[in-house]
Amino acid sequence: MAISYKIENLNMQKLWLVLSKDDFAGQDNLKVICKIAEEYGIDQDSISYFTNTKFDLDELSDLAQTVSFFGDRLIIIKDFDISDLADNYVEELCRIIDDSEGTHFAIVLTYEDEKSLSAKKYAPLMELAQKQGVYHQIKEIDDKYLVDISIEKAKSLGTSLDKATATYIVQNVGKNIGLVLNEVEKYCAACNYTKISREDIDAIGVKTLEARIFDVIDLICNKKPVKALETLNLLYSQGTDEIAVLGALATSFIDIHRCKLAKKKGTGYQTVHQDFEKRSNAYRYQKAMNNANKFSEKGLEEIISLMLKTDISLKSSSVEKRHLIDILVTQIIVKGMAD
């Protein structure tokens, strides 16, 4: 079993079993499999697709037992979560694959929880893949890997991208591989395939709500209320709901409060990250720890209280929601200045 992003064994196999948390990662590996099959002489006419969780087992069995007029064939099963595969389907799949001749199988599915893969019903399929081909499990993609593939993508397009700038892209976009690579392509074109800069990213880049809120809080901490409100208006123009904005603001200030208390005890942001949400981006707590210096403990408690009141008002008041958020941001800046 491999845990890297891409299949590394480029030989023809009887069975590829690819399981990934990110569907884009699975589909990217399917492209690798199809390329291998093409080089082996299997064309599109000899490829069959099954994308329904309750695909016809009899039809699949007939295909697997029928030698293609043009040679070997490839059967692809994809586009759903492995947990949706009924127990009898797993058992029957193994039998069909084991009994087939001249037929290759690519099973490319997603999974939500790694613990679910330890269920006994999947074991025969995984063992068969290891015995007759490749079992490739793609675990949650970390930031380092996203940075690496961003640099690799830019290089393939003849563009320079340094590690710090690639990290900035990933922090803005999040863990969606497809979106990260699409953004890199866009920046390559924007810089005319020379070198991607932070200026290019800030000018045309997509940012997650979390990344935009980081920007807002940085502006609040630097006492720039107008710029903070302009950034919020950009979020609204992109269709972001005010309640979602408040939720992201609240999460960030709770993180800052946690880091403030941790700093008081001499604890670093890494420990806070592990204690609270170790599956989230550690950068989030690094930012929180840096911003913790800008507020007192009492001030942060008052800000969180203000957010609770704003949340109640958003859901019950007739006052325009954006106006309530603007008032909140102004109050936070006042608290920061008082501290």
Side-chain angles (χ1 to χ4, degrees):
M1 180 184 74
I3 58 171
S4 59
Y5 172 57
K6 284 276 187 76
I7 289 173
E8 296 175 356
N9 185 339
L10 302 181
N11 297 316
M12 192 65 184
Q13 307 291 337
K14 182 172 183 178
L15 169 61
W16 290 273
L17 175 60
V18 179
L19 302 176
S20 66
K21 284 195 170 184
D22 187 316
D23 183 60
F24 184 93
Q27 297 309 312
D28 232 22
N29 277 279
L30 182 56
K31 291 177 185 176
V32 175
I33 295 169
C34 289
K35 181 68 175 173
I36 295 169
E38 182 184 354
E39 291 174 354
Y40 188 76
I42 296 177
D43 60 18
Q44 284 299 317
D45 290 332
S46 299
I47 299 178
S48 301
Y49 294 86
F50 291 82
T51 60
N52 191 300
T53 55
K54 296 182 178 179
F55 53 83
D56 192 321
L57 281 167
D58 290 334
E59 181 187 351
L60 187 141
S61 181
D62 289 342
L63 274 172
Q65 296 299 325
T66 305
V67 178
S68 169
F69 177 77
F70 300 101
D72 284 11
R73 70 165 65 248
L74 174 65
I75 293 176
I76 296 172
I77 300 171
K78 67 183 186 100
D79 291 346
F80 58 88
D81 195 277
I82 191 170
S83 62
D84 295 326
L85 204 59
D87 294 18
N88 65 306
Y89 273 57
V90 176
E91 185 179 333
E92 189 64 12
L93 256 178
C94 291
R95 185 195 65 76
I96 292 170
I97 295 167
D98 216 16
D99 292 346
S100 66
E101 293 291 341
T103 301
H104 306 267
F105 296 82
I107 304 173
V108 182
L109 306 176
T110 56
Y111 70 94
E112 287 189 9
D113 181 7
E114 194 168 346
K115 290 180 181 178
S116 67
L117 296 182
S118 61
K120 288 184 179 179
K121 70 175 183 178
Y122 305 132
L125 186 58
M126 294 171 179
E127 290 167 6
L128 187 62
Q130 290 171 317
K131 179 183 174 183
Q132 299 201 26
V134 170
Y135 171 29
H136 188 76
Q137 181 193 338
I138 307 162
K139 297 188 178 181
E140 187 171 1
I141 305 298
D142 61 17
D143 289 352
K144 180 182 181 302
Y145 194 84
L146 287 169
V147 167
D148 289 345
I149 64 172
S150 296
I151 294 170
E152 182 184 326
K153 179 67 175 178
K155 186 177 179 181
S156 72
L157 295 171
T159 306
S160 174
L161 174 61
D162 61 55
K163 187 175 180 180
T165 309
T167 301
Y168 186 52
I169 293 171
V170 172
Q171 289 166 353
N172 285 344
V173 176
K175 293 184 180 294
N176 185 311
I177 300 171
L179 186 53
V180 168
L181 296 181
N182 287 340
E183 286 295 286
V184 171
E185 285 189 31
K186 184 167 70 177
Y187 303 141
C188 288
C191 73
N192 200 24
Y193 302 95
T194 53
K195 181 177 181 179
I196 298 172
S197 68
R198 286 178 69 114
E199 288 73 22
D200 296 321
I201 297 164
D202 288 337
I204 62 170
V206 167
K207 286 191 175 186
T208 61
L209 173 58
E210 183 181 56
R212 287 291 183 196
I213 293 300
F214 286 159
D215 291 344
V216 170
I217 292 174
D218 283 344
L219 291 166
I220 288 172
C221 290
N222 291 316
K223 314 295 188 298
K224 295 181 178 178
V226 175
K227 286 287 186 183
L229 295 175
E230 284 177 358
T231 303
L232 285 175
N233 285 332
L234 178 60
L235 280 171
Y236 301 143
S237 70
Q238 294 171 342
T240 309
D241 181 75
E242 290 85 357
I243 292 176
V245 169
L246 178 62
L249 278 168
T251 297
S252 290
F253 273 99
I254 288 169
D255 288 344
I256 294 171
H257 185 249
R258 288 169 174 170
C259 286
K260 187 75 178 181
L261 296 177
K263 201 164 191 174
K264 189 177 178 181
K265 296 179 180 178
T267 304
Y269 75 87
Q270 298 93 336
T271 302
V272 183
H273 175 234
Q274 287 296 314
D275 286 349
F276 289 96
E277 292 187 56
K278 61 183 179 181
R279 293 185 64 185
S280 66
N281 193 334
Y283 176 73
R284 159 182 161 183
Y285 289 95
Q286 184 179 1
K287 290 285 293 182
M289 187 64 83
N290 291 337
N291 286 326
N293 296 324
K294 310 289 177 66
F295 301 92
S296 68
E297 185 180 329
K298 182 174 181 293
L300 286 168
E301 289 169 357
E302 290 174 352
I303 287 169
I304 292 169
S305 177
L306 283 171
M307 289 189 172
L308 177 59
K309 291 176 182 176
T310 303
D311 182 58
I312 294 169
S313 296
L314 279 176
K315 295 169 182 174
S316 60
S317 173
S318 59
V319 178
E320 187 179 348
K321 292 179 180 179
R322 294 183 190 182
H323 182 60
L324 290 170
I325 299 288
D326 290 351
I327 292 172
L328 172 65
V329 170
T330 304
Q331 289 173 323
I332 292 171
I333 291 171
V334 170
K335 288 290 179 188
M337 291 177 71
D339 292 337

